[in-house]
Amino acid sequence: MELINYEHLLRIFAAAMLGGVIGLERAYRSKMAGFRTHFLVALGSAIFMIISIHGFDTDLPLLDKSNYSLDPARIAANIVTGIGFIGAGTIIFQKHTVRGITTAAGIWVTAAIGMACGAGHYALSVATTVLVLLCLEIFSFVLGKMGKKTVSLAITARSRYEVNSIIDKLKSAGFSIDTYNIEISHKDDVKIYVISLDVKISRKEYDKRISDLIAGFDEVYVDNIQG
């Protein structure tokens, strides 16, 4: 019967907590992969790492060492490969834009933190977690002030001429249009053009620009705001 190894329990607990901290930040940002995903990724990586290093200690010493070779890196290497499938699931391609890269990278580094905890490198795991949070929060805040926000808009128009006028007006106002799509619908037997756009707005001027945009058109719908 195997005795309880409190060191191994400490390793998986530390991995789960550090992964959960990163997951809480992602959940706060309303990302697809949140607390539970990061918690489980870190926990699973730590367990695989412990098994890779110590999982066969009780059996292999009974065998003739000349007949086998032990490579603790084999399971660890496959963790890196396997985590790629989870990360890929968080990346989506929508409206000609790739989204979820940062979340996928976060899952990837969370797996690395779990592996480090599983190997007993607590200081390295904590330091990496702190750097991840600095990157996601503080650096994003500082750099965000100098960047742009991407806003998805839906604007209605009553004619093709008005559609072209809207697009020209947005460009002349300094909005950077990433993509746009035009759909035709009918309302009370009247043809309506619905323009779906992804535009970029300077973060410093965001509030004023959005107010001007809404005031400048009869019907403007803000679908979502990113960044």
Side-chain angles (χ1 to χ4, degrees):
M1 180 178 177
E2 182 186 0
L3 298 177
I4 297 176
N5 190 319
Y6 291 102
E7 171 64 21
H8 291 174
L9 293 179
L10 176 61
R11 292 182 184 185
I12 64 173
F13 180 81
M17 291 300 101
L18 294 176
V21 169
I22 298 174
L24 286 174
E25 190 280 336
R26 294 285 82 190
Y28 174 74
R29 296 290 181 185
S30 300
K31 303 301 181 181
M32 290 180 292
F35 172 78
R36 290 179 295 181
T37 300
H38 288 78
F39 183 98
L40 293 174
V41 165
L43 176 61
S45 298
I47 293 174
F48 277 124
M49 197 66 186
I50 292 172
I51 293 173
S52 180
I53 299 173
H54 304 288
F56 309 100
D57 291 347
T58 57
D59 298 325
L60 290 181
L62 303 177
L63 303 176
D64 182 3
K65 293 185 178 180
S66 62
N67 295 328
Y68 71 84
S69 62
L70 179 63
D71 182 9
R74 292 184 65 183
I75 296 178
N78 284 282
I79 296 173
V80 179
T81 303
I83 207 66
F85 290 97
I86 299 177
T90 66
I91 301 174
I92 60 174
F93 183 74
Q94 184 179 22
K95 295 181 179 179
H96 307 288
T97 304
V98 178
R99 297 169 180 169
I101 295 292
T102 301
T103 299
I107 292 176
W108 179 64
V109 75
T110 298
I113 292 171
M115 292 171 67
C117 284
H121 300 298
Y122 300 113
L124 178 63
S125 304
V126 173
T128 304
T129 302
V130 171
L131 288 174
V132 170
L133 294 175
L134 284 174
C135 174
L136 294 176
E137 284 296 318
I138 298 178
F139 292 163
S140 294
F141 176 79
V142 174
L143 295 175
K145 292 296 183 180
M146 300 181 290
K148 292 184 177 183
K149 274 188 176 181
T150 300
V151 183
S152 295
L153 304 171
I155 304 175
T156 61
R158 301 185 183 278
S159 66
R160 276 285 183 179
Y161 173 79
E162 191 173 351
V163 170
N164 295 331
S165 176
I166 289 172
I167 295 174
D168 291 340
K169 186 174 181 179
L170 289 172
K171 290 180 178 179
S172 62
F175 291 96
S176 176
I177 301 176
D178 282 349
T179 61
Y180 72 90
N181 181 58
I182 301 175
E183 295 182 356
I184 301 176
S185 63
H186 292 81
K187 182 178 180 181
D188 298 330
D189 295 330
V190 177
K191 184 183 292 185
I192 300 294
Y193 295 85
V194 180
I195 317 167
S196 301
L197 311 97
D198 285 340
V199 300
K200 287 185 178 179
I201 307 173
S202 171
R203 293 175 185 269
K204 293 182 179 180
E205 303 177 354
Y206 170 75
D207 292 332
K208 179 180 182 302
R209 288 294 184 89
I210 284 294
S211 298
D212 293 343
L213 180 64
I214 293 175
F217 300 102
D218 294 333
E219 295 184 55
V220 178
Y221 305 98
V222 180
D223 289 344
N224 60 72
I225 302 171
Q226 303 172 13

